[in-house]
């Protein structure tokens, strides 16, 4: 199926959302640790997965802060003190690992890389399912040397789960032009109240901002989580498309879950909600 309006909306939204959180909140930290060889039935048999103890490495080189994030690269991921050859290693930033595609095994790999404070996931689960199913593991639990790498596709918290919940087209102008209005909901699972309040505050202030409509084909990541062009800079990518009928954030409402339901979550997680109303004008029937 060809990418449709909702595909491009959510691709564009998640890229903007991630950048907004990382830049305004400096919501990342640089980590150093061992990478472990892990089995993974989803990758080709010729690949070897070398997994860190953290999920979702920062891959956006436009992020700056008091301490700049270290983007994982051959100079920051070493095996026995030597750089991993970029030509036969895939950097899976989404899953916090390196995939070795050539001969040999990086059995003594170590790395320094920036890790997001909040993992971000696109989901179709309802907020009730996310809160009640308890299928998450705390990312901070994997800071000890006794743990030999996390499972590659486990969803880790703290995290923010984003869901396209509702959409309608309203007549806007003669000639078939409509205003497409979408409700995008984010469920925030934070480690503490400070972290939760920070995320909610950042996005409460995003009302009446706009973000670029980035084509589905321009997403910076490959199917294995590496960068298509070897590097990714959100600001540069955004500037290529910002003038092409951007999306507008008409309204944002933030709220928190009451204390009692939160008690069933792992690690006493704190829960908040962000509701975005996003719109653009277009010709849906053309």
């Amino acid at each position: 199926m060809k990418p449709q309006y909702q595909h491009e909306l959510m691709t564009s939204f998640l890229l903007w959302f991630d950048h907004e959180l990382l830049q305004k909140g400096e919501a990342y930290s640089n980590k150093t640790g061992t990478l472990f060889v892990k089995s993974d039935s989803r990758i080709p048999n010729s690949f070897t997965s070398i997994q860190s103890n953290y999920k979702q490495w920062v891959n956006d080189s436009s992020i700056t802060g008091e301490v700049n994030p270290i983007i994982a690269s051959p100079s920051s991921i070493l095996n026995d003190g030597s750089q991993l050859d970029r030509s036969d290693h895939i950097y899976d930033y989404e899953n916090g690992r390196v995939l070795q595609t050539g001969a040999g095994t990086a059995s003594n790999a170590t790395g320094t890389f920036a890790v997001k404070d909040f993992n971000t996931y696109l989901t179709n689960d309802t907020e009730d399912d996310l809160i009640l199913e308890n299928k998450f593991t705390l990312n901070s639990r994997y800071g000890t040397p006794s743990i030999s790498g996390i499972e590659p596709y486990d969803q880790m918290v703290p995290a923010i789960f984003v869901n396209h919940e509702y959409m309608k087209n309203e007549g806007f102008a003669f000639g078939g032009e409509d205003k497409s209005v979408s409700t995008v909901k984010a469920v925030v699972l934070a480690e503490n109240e400070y972290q939760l309040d920070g995320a909610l505050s950042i996005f409460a202030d995003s009302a009446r901002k706009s973000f670029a409509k980035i084509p589905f084909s321009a997403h910076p990541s490959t199917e294995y989580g590496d960068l298509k062009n070897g590097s990714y800079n959100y600001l540069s990518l955004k500037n290529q498309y910002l003038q092409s009928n951007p999306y507008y954030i008409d309204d944002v409402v933030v709220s928190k879950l009451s204390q009692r339901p939160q008690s069933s979550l792992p690690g006493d997680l704190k829960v908040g909600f962000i509701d975005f109303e996003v719109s653009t004008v277009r010709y849906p029937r053309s």
Side-chain angles (χ1 to χ4, degrees):
M1 176 184 289
K2 291 168 54 179
Q4 300 299 308
Y5 171 79
Q6 185 173 321
H7 297 132
E8 293 196 340
L9 167 62
M10 295 311 296
T11 294
S12 303
F13 182 86
L14 281 172
L15 292 173
W16 166 82
F17 185 95
D18 215 32
H19 180 272
E20 190 83 353
L21 183 60
L22 291 169
Q23 184 61 56
K24 291 197 68 176
E26 294 186 28
Y28 58 85
S29 57
N30 291 320
K31 303 287 186 182
T32 298
T34 303
L35 280 70
F36 305 89
V37 175
K38 297 286 288 185
S39 61
D40 182 356
S41 61
R42 299 190 193 181
I43 61 177
N45 292 333
S46 59
F47 285 16
T48 301
S49 173
I50 311 165
Q51 181 74 54
S52 75
N53 283 332
Y54 300 93
K55 278 298 184 73
Q56 295 201 5
W57 297 343
V58 175
N59 63 4
D60 181 358
S61 62
S62 72
I63 302 300
T64 58
E66 185 173 342
V67 176
N68 289 334
I70 297 172
I71 308 299
S73 67
S75 63
S76 69
I77 307 292
L78 307 175
N79 185 50
D80 285 329
S82 299
Q83 295 185 11
L84 299 180
D85 187 352
R86 194 67 169 92
S87 65
D88 58 7
H89 290 86
I90 296 170
Y91 286 70
D92 182 358
Y93 293 90
E94 179 72 15
N95 288 300
R97 64 181 180 174
V98 176
L99 300 176
Q100 183 165 323
T101 61
T105 301
S107 56
N108 295 300
T110 59
T112 300
F113 37 78
V115 176
K116 299 177 186 178
D117 287 356
F118 287 96
N119 293 334
T120 52
Y121 299 103
L122 182 63
T123 183
N124 287 319
D125 290 338
T126 67
E127 56 192 58
D128 289 339
D129 290 338
L130 289 169
I131 294 167
L132 297 175
E133 284 187 5
N134 293 340
K135 58 185 178 181
F136 313 114
T137 309
L138 285 171
N139 212 21
S140 57
R141 185 179 301 173
Y142 292 96
T144 60
S146 60
I147 303 298
S148 57
I150 57 179
E151 295 303 316
Y153 307 107
D154 282 359
Q155 291 183 324
M156 313 298 295
V157 291
I160 303 178
F161 295 85
V162 179
N163 181 27
H164 185 276
E165 192 169 73
Y166 174 79
M167 175 184 166
K168 65 177 178 179
N169 290 326
E170 303 171 345
F172 184 77
F174 292 116
E177 188 174 31
D178 283 5
K179 180 179 182 180
S180 295
V181 181
S182 294
T183 298
V184 179
K185 179 179 285 289
V187 179
V188 184
L189 303 181
E191 281 191 294
N192 51 58
E193 290 288 351
Y194 181 87
Q195 195 180 53
L196 177 61
D197 288 342
L200 296 183
S201 179
I202 287 170
F203 290 109
D205 291 344
S206 68
R208 289 168 292 283
K209 284 189 172 184
S210 62
F211 59 94
K213 182 182 293 185
I214 296 172
F216 195 70
S217 59
H219 193 282
S221 296
T222 69
E223 61 178 315
Y224 290 117
D226 205 345
L227 300 175
K228 292 178 180 177
N229 299 315
S231 64
Y232 160 57
N233 183 304
Y234 176 75
L235 296 181
S236 297
L237 182 63
K238 175 196 74 171
N239 289 338
Q240 295 180 44
Y241 298 102
L242 188 58
Q243 302 306 316
S244 179
N245 193 19
Y247 300 102
Y248 296 94
I249 302 172
D250 297 322
D251 193 25
V252 181
V253 177
V254 301
S255 58
K256 293 183 181 181
L257 184 69
S258 62
Q259 191 66 35
R260 182 174 295 179
Q262 289 184 158
S263 63
S264 64
L265 287 165
D268 192 28
L269 291 170
K270 308 304 178 185
V271 183
F273 307 101
I274 314 170
D275 293 295
F276 298 88
E277 184 178 289
V278 180
S279 68
T280 192
V281 293
R282 64 192 187 102
Y283 294 88
R285 291 168 294 280
S286 62

